[in-house]
Amino acid sequence: MKYNFGIDIDGVLTDEGPDNNSIWQQKMNEFFEREITLKEYTYDLAKAFAINNQELNDFIQAKIEEVYSSVKPINKAREILAELEKEGHRLILITARHEEHRSLTEKWLNDHNIPYHELYHEHDKAPLAAKKNISLFIDDKKENALEIAAKDIPVFLVSKYHNYDFNGNNKITKVNNWDEIKENIELFISKDAHASKLS
Ligand SMILES: [Mg+2]
């Protein structure tokens, strides 16, 4: 059986660094003339780093391309995606990054040898995941996980400070790293093969 894997980019393929010294915090510290620290465990960058929305806009305008191009890939993702590709599965990247960052994103993926078949820039991920017949989705944003799971698609939710308050459910499995993602993909495939044998 071949599967379509839906994969987010930021926080899933990228290594944003530790909670208290992430690439976002580092770049904000360079940009603002005061010390920026993580204040609140939320996905909302303005709230998380206690800056106002105007400051966030200014920061995004000035620094987002620098963040996207300089962020490092996360350990093991490339190797594990290469194995999945070799086994014949489809790797469909769905990112909420704005379409204007497409060529930068493609360059980053190529520079880091990350294999994939399709790349979509889409903020509203759940309908696209359903349309693309995604078998399993990997994301780090809790709200995405809940919406995708509501389409009856299993999700692996990568643990981050902004989803620490959610432990998962029968459709959503929390994972800490790509070793755990790999283990859970193998489990998903073997369970699915077993279920289709019974049906
Ligand atoms: Mg993400």
Side-chain angles (χ1 to χ4, degrees):
M1 191 65 179
K2 307 295 181 205
Y3 297 96
N4 294 333
F5 291 101
I7 305 152
D8 173 37
I9 296 180
D10 290 292
V12 172
L13 296 181
T14 66
D15 184 354
E16 298 182 315
D19 289 354
N20 55 5
N21 191 28
S22 69
I23 187 165
W24 298 99
Q25 183 176 324
Q26 289 172 33
K27 297 291 176 188
M28 282 186 196
N29 269 308
E30 288 169 23
F31 185 71
F32 296 110
E33 285 170 355
R34 63 178 194 273
E35 205 197 339
I36 302 290
T37 55
L38 181 62
K39 297 276 196 238
E40 208 183 307
Y41 288 174
T42 167
Y43 195 84
D44 180 327
L45 283 175
K47 277 193 191 147
F49 293 102
I51 58 175
N52 65 43
N53 287 327
Q54 184 59 51
E55 288 175 319
L56 179 61
N57 287 342
D58 294 346
F59 169 76
I60 296 286
Q61 283 285 339
K63 289 284 194 179
I64 195 85
E65 295 208 332
E66 201 180 307
V67 172
Y68 288 163
S69 53
S70 67
V71 70
K72 300 221 166 359
I74 193 96
N75 204 17
K76 300 257 186 96
R78 186 190 67 75
E79 294 90 323
I80 292 167
L81 291 179
E83 286 169 25
L84 292 171
E85 183 192 34
K86 218 170 156 190
E87 290 164 15
H89 304 298
R90 244 185 127 65
L91 308 173
I92 301 173
L93 307 187
I94 303 182
T95 176
R97 287 183 182 188
H98 197 279
E99 183 83 41
E100 71 181 291
H101 304 302
R102 185 176 187 89
S103 60
L104 184 160
T105 301
E106 288 171 337
K107 183 179 186 310
W108 186 89
L109 291 163
N110 288 337
D111 286 350
H112 294 291
N113 285 314
I114 295 175
Y116 66 98
H117 299 100
E118 298 171 45
L119 168 64
Y120 296 95
H121 290 260
E122 176 59 60
H123 186 76
D124 193 11
K125 295 184 180 184
L128 181 60
K131 192 174 141 202
K132 295 304 297 178
N133 271 316
I134 298 293
S135 325
L136 172 71
F137 207 100
I138 308 165
D139 207 294
D140 67 323
K141 188 177 178 184
K142 178 178 62 181
E143 291 78 4
N144 288 341
L146 291 166
E147 288 173 23
I148 293 164
K151 302 271 185 200
D152 216 28
I153 299 167
V155 180
F156 294 166
L157 180 65
V158 178
S159 290
K160 288 284 153 69
Y161 65 82
H162 49 75
N163 63 39
Y164 89 107
D165 59 339
F166 177 69
N167 289 324
N169 58 33
N170 65 332
K171 278 270 168 214
I172 303 173
T173 307
K174 289 287 286 280
V175 290
N176 289 302
N177 52 50
W178 273 85
D179 282 324
E180 288 187 25
I181 289 173
K182 188 183 175 194
E183 267 171 45
N184 280 284
I185 286 176
E186 284 167 357
L187 198 63
F188 165 82
I189 291 176
S190 72
K191 273 189 190 162
D192 193 68
H194 185 67
S196 56
K197 231 181 260 172
L198 295 178
S199 64

